[in-house]
Amino acid sequence: MTDRLAGKTALVTGAAQGIGKAIAARLAADGATVYVADINGEGAKAAAAAIGGKTKAVTVDISDPKSVTAMFDEIKKVGGIDILVNNASIVPFVAWDDVDLDHWRKIIDVNLTGTFIVTRAATDQMRAAAKPGRVINISSNTFFAGTPNMAAYVAAKGGVIGFTRALATELGQYNITANAVTPGLIESDGVKASPHNGAFEFVEMLQAVKGKGQPEHIADVVSFLASEDARWITGQTLNVDAGMVRH
Ligand code: NAD
Ligand code: 4PL
């Protein structure tokens, strides 16, 4: 769509489907080489093939440090990473009475700790190559709204915002920026296949601008944050939800 990411290498986690796939497609359309990473390796291959351009599929479990290290060893061979988009997460719909310790631990482990594991490896690689960099973390507007049936998820997404703020402080001296994006309800593959699909009417009532949130609404904003135009923005949380919440 532009050439503003030409020569850059990007990694998008959870890119086999949904918002991650749309982000990968947009960054590729902006000229970047894009690693389409997902725990669903077949899905990642299919997404990379569908997007075309300079995409490469990779199988990774963001909560497994060994798997993450192996992925970055591959990326290092082609010159290292410039742009990291932490998008992979589990999007649960679990009534409060069913939120037990196993569920809590699983959601924190993937959605928050997984984000840390990938960011640790990616930013070490950026620093070793003395390259400027971008970290873009996909949080959620549920952190502002306290959305029902997602208690562990809401906590993890708040953790992602806190982590982003600290990361910006730690990495500014290396010319690496870190920002979070908080989407509202988006009609992703995961949402379409879940009870969240029944919430669009209610959410649209709260939105200032009407319509159903689409993965591209998020991908276009991530493209901006990844670009040179966003060089003076760091530690911020950009809410992208048609005005459902104001924070
Ligand atoms: P989705 O369920 O459609 O896709 C998520 C992808 O992440 C899947 O392909 C899945 O295989 C992958 N994944 C899950 N665990 C993984 C792991 N351990 N390692 C690697 N990959 C893993 O989700 P989506 O709706 O497109 O959401 C994408 C991001 O946007 C998530 O961070 C989600 O929390 C956030 N978000 C979504 C919405 C929404 O309404 N859809 C709203 C706000 C925020
Ligand atoms: C408003 O992040 O932001 C449902 C499911 N509703 O995952 C989300 C809203 C969901 C959201 C989200």
Side-chain angles (χ1 to χ4, degrees):
M1 223 173 275
T2 73
D3 60 359
R4 65 187 181 186
L5 301 181
K8 302 288 187 189
T9 297
L11 167 69
V12 184
T13 64
Q17 64 178 48
I19 295 171
K21 185 180 174 185
I23 293 169
R26 176 64 210 254
L27 301 187
D30 289 331
T33 297
V34 182
Y35 281 82
V36 175
D38 207 286
I39 197 169
N40 172 6
E42 289 306 311
K45 270 187 210 158
I51 294 166
K54 287 175 267 164
T55 52
K56 294 169 202 259
V58 52
T59 308
V60 71
D61 176 355
I62 63 163
S63 67
D64 174 6
K66 277 193 196 136
S67 161
V68 170
T69 301
M71 175 173 70
F72 281 104
D73 287 348
E74 286 306 307
I75 299 175
K76 195 177 173 185
K77 291 181 194 158
V78 299
I81 186 176
D82 302 290
I83 299 159
L84 167 64
V85 183
N86 282 307
N87 167 84
S89 93
I90 298 170
V91 184
F93 184 102
V94 177
W96 170 242
D97 286 350
D98 297 326
V99 174
D100 59 15
L101 187 56
D102 281 351
H103 170 76
W104 179 272
R105 285 203 165 122
K106 177 75 184 169
I107 297 301
I108 299 294
D109 192 44
V110 174
N111 295 8
L112 180 56
T113 308
T115 296
F116 160 72
I117 291 168
V118 178
T119 304
R120 179 79 256 179
T123 58
D124 286 353
Q125 190 170 87
M126 288 171 187
R127 286 171 58 186
K131 284 187 180 190
R134 293 274 185 273
V135 178
I136 299 152
N137 293 328
I138 307 301
S139 175
S140 165
N141 81 339
T142 58
F143 177 60
F144 308 124
T147 307
N149 302 304
M150 306 191 83
Y153 176 91
V154 172
K157 290 302 192 181
V160 167
I161 290 176
F163 176 50
T164 305
R165 292 177 180 183
L167 203 60
T169 308
E170 301 290 357
L171 299 179
Q173 62 186 306
Y174 308 108
N175 257 311
I176 299 169
T177 66
N179 292 289
V181 173
T182 53
L185 182 61
I186 298 290
E187 195 178 28
S188 66
D189 299 290
V191 157
K192 269 194 271 188
S194 82
H196 294 296
N197 200 39
F200 279 98
E201 202 180 329
F202 176 72
V203 165
E204 196 176 350
M205 184 184 72
L206 301 174
Q207 289 170 201
V209 174
K210 303 302 176 185
K212 256 189 192 184
Q214 296 300 321
E216 292 71 23
H217 291 137
I218 307 309
D220 291 351
V221 172
V222 171
S223 163
F224 161 68
L225 288 174
S227 78
E228 187 63 15
D229 285 349
R231 65 195 175 281
W232 214 237
I233 302 176
T234 193
Q236 304 305 309
T237 299
L238 189 42
N239 187 41
V240 185
D241 70 351
M244 176 188 145
V245 297
R246 327 289 157 93
H247 78 103

